Amino acid sequence: TFYDRIGFVMTSFKKAGRGKVVHPRGTKPSLHNSQLLISSGTPSLDVLLGGLAIGSVLLVEEDAYNSYARFLVKYFLAEGVMCGHALLVAGPSIHSTDILKELPASVGSQVVVPTLAESSVATSQETMDIAWRYQNLPAMKSGFSNNFGHFYDLSKTMDQSRVDLVPVTTFSASNVQSSGNSLNELSEKVREVIVAGSYSTSTTPLSERNVLRIAIQSFGSPLWSKDGDAVALAQFLHSLRATVRGAYATAVVTIPNHMLEDEVLMRRFERLCDAAVSLESFSGSHKEENPLYQDYHGLFHIRKLPCFNCLVPHYPETLELGFKLYRKKFSIEKLHLPPELSDTANRAQEDTVKKSNTAADQHSNTYSRYNIDF
């Protein structure tokens, strides 16, 4: 051959390549900082926060009646069941674990079909006539598109046999003896589950890695008995954050900030967590009757953005957000003003012009100031 004539010697050298990395089920690496992420179960929340990082703590400040923050916890736990992750559910009362019986059913990769009212609103917006100068502008999309995680139907409940397939651990502060400390026992319970389930990053084999999802409901409420002082709560959050840092675990903690009524304490709790969001419901407030918020059930505030392995956090498109509960889904959308369809203002202007013209006919020497109004 040609190589034999020129004395070329072939070698068995091969360039070393990077081996295939095995990630736990239901996870993916971030494109921004290579941090391993899991889905929160809420597609719009995943877009805003970039997903939930492994080893992080998300703080959710509940609304006044805990009507909507509970849906975020349901989505979080339902996503864990679909991905085969282990669950640890903690709450102040014995009824806190009943949320496992209320998980929404998964609809696979199919998007939840909108209701008739939603379809009619979308159709009316598409066929609405607008001014010619705005016709070529891009349409305003209030929702967020995301292909990470599963979709769920709130009108259906997940089969209990599906929930029984994953390891579930429950904790209730009411079951702790009066002489004990519920926060210390919960902290020990988290460490015990991490060690027993081999969720530690240092001891878990590469092929047997799994994720632990921790959901703590109404943390700091009076139902946590005598452990509700500020120092004990802050110490627990600090301990929880340090514990999940060294494990394949992610925690979601909900706090009833309307019960604590301490702004300084809430800011301290936010600094002790990796990310923090707040839900402001319109129920029982003056904003419920405000026509500007007629398309939403409340406002969604981002108090703190997660920042891992980078100098600048992932910043969403906008921070002006609202949430709405549909019949089959809970959605976080961009806050925008509704279109003004009434002709009251136009008729008022026409009446003003008519009056000014009549006055001009009677007093031809008097100039009406209404003619220069715009």
Side-chain angles (χ1 to χ4, degrees), residues 115-233:
T115 60
L116 181 61
E118 301 171 32
S119 303
S120 61
V121 171
T123 305
S124 62
Q125 291 179 351
E126 294 176 357
T127 59
M128 183 175 57
D129 295 333
I130 58 177
W132 61 270
R133 62 181 299 180
Y134 301 112
Q135 290 179 356
N136 296 328
L137 295 179
M140 174 65 181
K141 296 181 179 179
S142 58
F144 300 93
S145 59
N146 184 35
N147 55 359
F148 185 36
H150 298 78
F151 295 94
Y152 300 92
D153 187 354
L154 291 177
S155 62
K156 301 178 182 179
T157 307
M158 183 177 295
D159 190 4
Q160 192 62 31
S161 60
R162 184 65 182 268
V163 182
D164 296 337
L165 296 177
V166 298
V168 178
T169 305
T170 59
F171 179 87
S172 176
S174 59
N175 294 334
V176 179
Q177 297 180 0
S178 58
S179 59
N181 190 316
S182 59
L183 294 180
N184 290 342
E185 292 198 14
L186 178 56
S187 182
E188 291 294 334
K189 190 69 174 181
V190 172
R191 298 190 188 95
E192 178 185 343
V193 173
I194 291 177
V195 174
S198 301
Y199 301 111
S200 176
T201 55
S202 58
T203 60
T204 306
L206 192 64
S207 58
E208 300 178 3
R209 289 177 178 174
N210 197 8
V211 178
L212 172 65
R213 292 177 178 247
I214 305 172
I216 303 177
Q217 308 171 69
S218 300
F219 178 74
S221 67
L223 296 178
W224 287 86
S225 66
K226 62 181 181 180
D227 302 324
D229 59 292
V231 177
L233 296 176

Side-chain angles (χ1 to χ4, degrees), residues 79-127:
E79 183 67 21
V81 174
M82 296 302 299
C83 296
H85 297 164
L87 306 179
L88 194 157
V89 183
S93 65
I94 58 176
H95 302 289
S96 302
T97 57
D98 293 343
I99 193 174
L100 295 173
K101 303 177 182 179
E102 305 171 1
L103 301 183
S106 173
V107 293
S109 60
Q110 300 177 358
V111 182
V112 178
V113 180
T115 60
L116 181 61
E118 301 171 32
S119 303
S120 61
V121 171
T123 305
S124 62
Q125 291 179 351
E126 294 176 357
T127 59

Side-chain angles (χ1 to χ4, degrees), residues 230-265:
V231 177
L233 296 176
Q235 290 178 348
F236 174 82
L237 289 178
H238 189 273
S239 175
L240 177 65
R241 187 179 183 183
T243 302
V244 299
R245 268 295 191 275
Y248 288 95
T250 301
V252 172
V253 182
T254 65
I255 291 185
N257 56 346
H258 57 281
M259 292 185 179
L260 299 179
E261 296 181 353
D262 191 344
E263 192 70 18
V264 178
L265 182 61

Side-chain angles (χ1 to χ4, degrees), residues 259-310:
M259 292 185 179
L260 299 179
E261 296 181 353
D262 191 344
E263 192 70 18
V264 178
L265 182 61
M266 289 305 304
R267 300 293 83 82
R268 180 185 301 177
F269 290 163
E270 293 171 3
R271 290 194 297 269
L272 291 173
C273 299
D274 300 293
V277 297
S278 175
L279 283 79
E280 179 186 353
S281 174
F282 294 155
S283 300
S285 65
H286 65 280
K287 295 182 180 179
E288 186 177 9
E289 301 177 356
N290 194 330
L292 299 178
Y293 302 124
Q294 60 183 358
D295 296 334
Y296 306 96
H297 290 149
L299 298 178
F300 188 86
H301 306 284
I302 299 180
R303 304 299 186 186
K304 182 180 179 181
L305 289 170
C307 186
F308 295 96
N309 305 331
C310 58

